Amino acid sequence: MEETVEDPPTSTVLLDHCHFSQVIFNSVEKFYVPGGDVTCYYTLTQQFIPRRKDWIGIFRVGWKTTREYYTFMWVSLPVDLNSDSAKQQEVQFKAYYLPKDDEYYQFCYVDQDGVVRGASIPFQFRPENEEDILVVTTQGEVEEIEQRNKELCKENQELKDTCVSLQKQNSDTQAELHKTQEELEILKSTAQKLEQEAKAQKDGWETELLQLKEQNQKMSSENEKMEVRVEQLQAQLSTREKEMEKLVQGDQDKTEQLERLNKENSQLLLTLTQQKERQKKLEQTVEEMLKQEETTTLKKQQALKDENAGLSRKLSENKIIYDALQKEKERLERENDLLKRENSRLLSYMGLDFDSLPYQVPTSDQGGAGQHPALVYGNPYSGIQESSAPSLLAVKKCPTCKSDYTGDILDFTSEQQRPQPLCLSCPICDKTFPAKEKQIFEDHVFCHSL
């Protein structure tokens, strides 16, 4: 039977006024795999008679009225209600209309008046291997889980309140049943008294009937009255018997209602136990997630500390290298100043001006101490030899352009006479290298900067 566009009959009747034991659901699974049809099996009890507008709906656990159904199917009426096959019924829900989430749901049988006549145990729609999936949640999902936990606690409290209400109703029903039994005992004793009185009256009437036969003509009118009286007493006796049958039937109804209340109480206790287990699982999941987050935070902090320590060590090494280079630069500048003063003194001694020379005195990087590594201030006589070179050469001019080329000859001569350094010294660790291993020397100095 497929769903129709027509809405099912519902009502706002609360759970306290429903009769959950008149229809019993059988073979309800703990969970159903999404994407497949679901068959619902149920049994009709003897006290319940199905009608044309009865329907079975899927409700989310925690519903309040029958208007909160998710989907529904109309039930089919059995041909013969007295047969055993008519009591066992089933209805199939198509996969397209089933829920897609993993919330807890249950089947409910609702009659055409909108009153619930039976409810199943809770179940879920989820795959079989869902427990093996590792769930990674964010902070927002943790807050959502906490909010869901609060809602479950609230539903748990509502179920407890409902259980207390049902227990109170059960005690009231038992008190009413006890009172009814006492009234039934009183009625039984009254009926026995009435039977004894009727028997005594019947004996008296038979005696009076014998006397009336003797006085037939005199007491004929009284005899007719007594017959009418007997009929009245018999009618009263029949009425009392019917009342006694009604009381016995009422006693049976009360007993059946007490049994239904006990069944409902058992179902509520089972639902409460499942809710507690689910709440415990949620608390364990939240605790594990908090521990994982704390461990991840500690690891990140330790990694940042290690990186900061490495950068600090590298900065200290670079600072040491910078200080060594700065000291070497200051030392070279002092040596350069000393060489300049020494050259100026020698030039003044020779009677030459430093600015009038056709060449520049080499610095500490090109000449001076670099020409003779064994001398701190270089060769003092090399300047004298080079400074006397212009006086030995005659100043010649080009007869065509009148240009002077004596300085060019002197510069070329100086380049030929300048000696090459024999070794290279590291400015940081003072390690020396041969001049022919210049590439090794540069690599060594570069390693200090790493």
Side-chain angles (χ1 to χ4, degrees):
M1 180 182 295
E2 298 181 356
E3 289 189 30
T4 61
V5 180
E6 181 181 2
D7 293 331
T10 59
S11 67
T12 58
V13 178
L14 299 178
L15 298 177
D16 297 337
H17 300 85
C18 297
H19 306 282
F20 293 94
S21 61
Q22 294 183 355
V23 177
I24 301 173
F25 291 89
N26 305 319
S27 303
V28 179
E29 302 291 341
K30 293 183 179 179
F31 62 89
Y32 295 94
V33 179
D37 298 340
V38 174
T39 303
C40 174
Y41 302 94
Y42 61 95
T43 302
L44 302 175
T45 59
Q46 296 180 356
Q47 293 80 12
F48 179 73
I49 299 176
R51 291 181 288 181
R52 187 176 62 85
K53 286 291 185 177
D54 293 354
W55 54 282
I56 294 178
I58 296 178
F59 291 78
R60 180 178 292 178
V61 174
W63 58 274
K64 301 299 181 183
T65 63
T66 55
R67 295 179 179 178
E68 299 177 11
Y69 67 91
Y70 185 89
T71 184
F72 76 98
M73 294 292 293
W74 299 109
V75 300
S76 58
L77 295 177
V79 178
D80 186 8
L81 294 176
N82 296 324
S83 62
D84 294 335
S85 61
K87 302 300 180 181
Q88 303 292 333
Q89 299 291 325
E90 66 180 54
V91 65
Q92 188 177 48
F93 290 86
K94 298 296 182 181
Y96 177 78
Y97 300 100
L98 296 177
K100 303 300 187 295
D101 54 9
D102 57 351
E103 296 290 334
Y104 281 90
Y105 294 86
Q106 62 179 156
F107 299 114
C108 291
Y109 188 104
V110 185
D111 61 9
Q112 67 178 14
D113 297 330
V115 180
V116 178
R117 299 297 181 179
S120 69
I121 61 174
F123 56 87
Q124 288 181 289
F125 294 93
R126 61 178 178 83
E128 293 183 1
N129 58 348
E130 186 176 354
E131 297 179 355
D132 298 333
I133 298 175
L134 177 62
V135 179
V136 180
T137 58
T138 60
Q139 184 65 27
E141 293 175 345
V142 172
E143 295 176 355
E144 184 179 358
I145 291 173
E146 292 177 352
Q147 182 65 26
R148 180 60 179 167
N149 191 9
K150 292 180 181 178
E151 293 176 359
L152 290 175
C153 291
K154 184 177 179 181
E155 292 179 2
N156 188 10
Q157 186 62 36
E158 291 177 356
L159 289 174
K160 287 182 178 179
D161 296 338
T162 306
C163 182
V164 172
S165 177
L166 290 175
Q167 289 177 353
K168 183 178 180 181
Q169 185 178 359
N170 187 13
S171 61
D172 295 338
T173 305
Q174 290 179 353
E176 185 177 358
L177 178 62
H178 184 68
K179 183 178 180 181
T180 305
Q181 290 177 350
E182 291 178 354
E183 292 176 356
L184 180 61
E185 294 293 332
I186 294 172
L187 290 175
K188 286 181 178 180
S189 62
T190 304
Q192 290 177 359
K193 291 180 180 179
L194 291 173
E195 287 177 357
Q196 292 176 0
E197 291 176 359
K199 186 177 181 180
Q201 288 179 1
K202 187 176 181 181
D203 294 336
W205 292 337
E206 290 177 354
T207 303
E208 290 176 359
L209 184 59
L210 292 174
Q211 293 176 359
L212 287 173
K213 285 181 179 180
E214 295 174 356
Q215 299 175 359
N216 187 15
Q217 294 180 355
K218 294 181 180 179
M219 302 295 295
S220 58
S221 60
E222 294 180 0
N223 190 16
E224 292 176 356
K225 292 180 181 180
M226 292 300 294
E227 289 179 356
V228 173
R229 179 62 178 169
V230 169
E231 292 176 356
Q232 290 178 354
L233 291 174
Q234 289 178 352
Q236 290 180 1
L237 180 61
S238 176
T239 302
R240 293 294 176 87
E241 289 178 352
K242 290 180 179 180
E243 290 178 356
M244 186 172 65
E245 291 177 356
K246 289 181 180 180
L247 291 174
V248 172
Q249 184 65 30
D251 186 18
Q252 293 179 356
D253 293 338
K254 294 293 183 181
T255 305
E256 293 175 355
Q257 186 175 4
L258 179 60
E259 293 177 354
R260 290 195 298 269
L261 289 175
N262 290 330
K263 291 181 179 179
E264 292 175 2
N265 191 13
S266 300
Q267 292 179 355
L268 289 175
L269 291 175
L270 178 60
T271 304
L272 180 60
T273 304
Q274 293 176 351
Q275 293 288 346
K276 287 182 178 180
E277 292 178 354
R278 185 180 179 189
Q279 180 181 357
K280 186 177 180 180
K281 290 181 179 178
L282 288 174
E283 290 177 354
Q284 292 177 354
T285 303
V286 171
E287 185 177 357
E288 291 177 357
M289 291 170 59
L290 291 175
K291 289 181 179 179
Q292 292 178 359
E293 183 178 359
E294 183 178 359
T295 304
T296 304
T297 304
L298 292 175
K299 288 182 179 178
K300 289 182 178 180
Q301 290 178 356
Q302 185 63 33
L304 291 174
K305 288 181 180 179
D306 295 340
E307 184 178 359
N308 189 13
L311 292 175
S312 299
R313 288 194 300 270
K314 190 172 182 181
L315 180 61
S316 300
E317 292 175 358
N318 290 335
K319 186 176 180 182
I320 293 171
I321 294 172
Y322 173 77
D323 293 340
L325 292 174
Q326 188 70 21
K327 291 179 180 179
E328 182 66 17
K329 179 182 177 183
E330 293 175 357
R331 184 182 65 81
L332 293 175
E333 287 178 353
R334 288 195 299 270
E335 291 181 359
N336 190 20
D337 293 338
L338 291 174
L339 290 173
K340 284 182 179 181
R341 287 196 296 271
E342 183 67 18
N343 288 334
S344 299
R345 185 182 64 79
L346 293 174
L347 289 174
S348 62
Y349 177 76
M350 297 296 297
L352 298 176
D353 189 4
F354 180 80
D355 296 330
S356 63
L357 292 176
Y359 67 96
Q360 295 295 331
V361 178
T363 62
S364 59
D365 296 334
Q366 298 176 355
Q371 296 176 357
H372 301 278
L375 299 176
V376 178
Y377 302 105
N379 188 4
Y381 301 102
S382 61
I384 299 174
Q385 294 174 0
E386 293 172 357
S387 62
S388 61
S391 62
L392 299 176
L393 297 175
V395 178
K396 296 181 180 181
K397 295 184 179 181
C398 179
T400 303
C401 63
K402 305 300 181 180
S403 63
D404 185 6
Y405 53 85
T406 305
D408 296 335
I409 297 172
L410 183 61
D411 292 341
F412 177 75
T413 305
S414 299
E415 287 292 331
Q416 290 180 345
Q417 294 178 355
R418 184 179 302 154
Q420 296 296 327
L422 299 178
C423 61
L424 302 173
S425 177
C426 178
I428 298 174
C429 64
D430 295 333
K431 186 177 181 180
T432 58
F433 296 87
K436 61 182 180 180
E437 297 180 358
K438 184 178 180 181
Q439 184 63 39
I440 299 175
F441 168 74
E442 291 177 355
D443 294 339
H444 173 76
V445 175
F446 179 74
C447 289
H448 283 293
S449 63
L450 297 178

